[in-house]
Amino acid sequence: MQIDGKSVMITGGCGGIGLEMGRLFAEAGKDVVLVDAKIDAGAALADRHKNIRLVQCDLASESEIESRLKPYVADMLINNVGISPKFDKAGNRVRTWTMTLDQWNTVMTVNVTAHFLCTRLHLPRMMENKYGRIVNIASYAARTAGYQAAVHYTTSKAAILGFTKSLAKEVAPYGILVNAVNPGRIETAMTRDVSQEINQAFVSQIPAGRLGLPTDIAKVALFLCSDLAGYMTGTAVEVNGGLYVGP
Ligand SMILES: NC(=O)c1ccc[n+]([C@@H]2O[C@H](COP(=O)([O-])OP(=O)(O)OC[C@H]3O[C@@H](n4cnc5c(N)ncnc54)[C@H](O)[C@@H]3O)[C@@H](O)[C@H]2O)c1
């Protein structure tokens, strides 16, 4: 497997899936930029791999994206940042009929607008180089509504699939490939906001018999950036152990 790009930016890079993607790309010899609001969790990995740089940035802020990320524009971009608030501050389930516009907008800003802004930042260089790889991390929730996912999260992930298709057609003539990955239920902080019992019960619904691991997603992101996927664009790869097998 060959990856022509020399550098990669991974948003939400210090979360469960982001860190593992960072590790795999670093071990493949790439210059890796992990972008996150909280970079402490990336310190140990960056210590081990001198080709990993941590950049602190609030991806909900257009001005921070423009000013802090511009120096690190890369050949490959993994739009991975995402949040999935299921409970409000009082501990109540987030429901459509009580959701504030602010709650809605927060999820849309991080899960959709940040992908657009980071992509916009990268496209001029990718177009000039006639090379680019963009991988958008969506979710099986875009297909199924997921498990306990609130309506803003599901909507945001479905939006990313539309973003992926439309962008792929627009930039394919410039040698830029754009694909999405739909993770199933993956063991990270995002799925640890419910009890272990719930996660274990979940396993019974997964034909593969286990929750996904960050590396299951990271390997597919690596594949999508490689020559093995050189004719793939505008698609979404389902990585879920059989949890969802629909159209
Ligand atoms: N874990 C799962 O089961 C699962 C399933 C389907 C899809 N996904 C998607 O995979 C992606 C990665 O999720 P994960 O499981 O690694 O989650 P995670 O919570 O472990 O990591 C998310 C990271 O994003 C960062 N982040 C959040 N808001 C930010 C902001 N405004 N600015 C900068 N950084 C910010 C967090 O600090 C965190 O490090 C997300 O898009 C998520 O929706 C995850």
Side-chain angles (χ1 to χ4, degrees), residues 106-149:
T106 297
V107 171
M108 291 302 154
T109 302
V110 175
N111 291 12
V112 182
T113 309
H115 289 35
F116 155 65
L117 292 173
C118 291
T119 299
R120 188 181 68 181
L121 188 70
H122 277 75
L123 286 180
R125 171 182 152 144
M126 289 180 175
M127 289 164 73
E128 196 181 316
N129 291 348
K130 291 257 180 260
Y131 176 89
R133 296 288 179 268
I134 298 174
V135 179
N136 299 317
I137 306 300
S139 173
Y140 84 108
R143 308 288 195 201
T144 67
Y147 173 73
Q148 286 197 344

Side-chain angles (χ1 to χ4, degrees), residues 15-17 36-37 57-59 80 137-139 153 157 184 186 188 191:
I17 293 172
D36 208 291
C57 176
D58 178 3
L59 291 157
N80 168 69
I137 306 300
S139 173
Y153 180 79
K157 293 304 184 178
I186 312 300
T188 71
T191 48

Side-chain angles (χ1 to χ4, degrees), residues 6-18:
K6 291 181 173 53
S7 55
V8 61
M9 179 181 288
I10 302 169
T11 71
C14 295
I17 293 172

Side-chain angles (χ1 to χ4, degrees), residues 50-245:
K50 297 302 164 209
N51 49 342
I52 293 183
R53 182 187 291 265
L54 306 177
V55 176
Q56 198 271 329
C57 176
D58 178 3
L59 291 157
S61 160
E62 179 182 14
S63 61
E64 285 200 18
I65 289 174
E66 287 289 330
S67 61
R68 297 196 183 179
L69 303 190
K70 210 171 212 146
Y72 304 109
V73 164
D75 301 325
M76 300 172 281
L77 170 66
I78 316 285
N79 284 312
N80 168 69
V81 71
I83 53 173
S84 180
K86 301 176 188 80
F87 303 95
D88 64 18
K89 285 185 184 131
N92 301 312
R93 290 269 293 126
V94 177
R95 299 290 188 191
T96 308
W97 54 91
T98 53
M99 187 178 291
T100 63
L101 182 58
D102 195 44
Q103 287 171 322
W104 172 271
N105 284 340
T106 297
V107 171
M108 291 302 154
T109 302
V110 175
N111 291 12
V112 182
T113 309
H115 289 35
F116 155 65
L117 292 173
C118 291
T119 299
R120 188 181 68 181
L121 188 70
H122 277 75
L123 286 180
R125 171 182 152 144
M126 289 180 175
M127 289 164 73
E128 196 181 316
N129 291 348
K130 291 257 180 260
Y131 176 89
R133 296 288 179 268
I134 298 174
V135 179
N136 299 317
I137 306 300
S139 173
Y140 84 108
R143 308 288 195 201
T144 67
Y147 173 73
Q148 286 197 344
V151 69
H152 47 18
Y153 180 79
T154 303
T155 305
S156 73
K157 293 304 184 178
I160 289 306
L161 300 186
F163 176 69
T164 300
K165 291 179 200 182
S166 195
L167 179 67
K169 290 182 79 168
E170 201 178 4
V171 300
Y174 299 94
I176 304 168
L177 305 182
V178 187
N179 291 288
V181 178
N182 285 334
R185 195 162 180 87
I186 312 300
E187 282 191 52
T188 71
M190 189 173 278
T191 48
R192 279 184 220 118
D193 61 358
V194 298
S195 68
Q196 267 305 101
E197 290 73 34
I198 288 179
N199 275 322
Q200 279 316 310
F202 217 94
V203 170
S204 64
Q205 299 172 43
I206 302 175
R210 65 170 175 86
L211 297 181
L213 298 172
T215 199
D216 295 316
I217 307 305
K219 285 174 187 162
V220 175
L222 203 71
F223 160 74
L224 287 172
C225 289
S226 79
D227 59 333
L228 299 181
Y231 197 55
M232 277 178 80
T233 198
T235 194
V237 184
E238 313 292 335
V239 187
N240 59 35
L243 177 61
Y244 162 75
V245 294

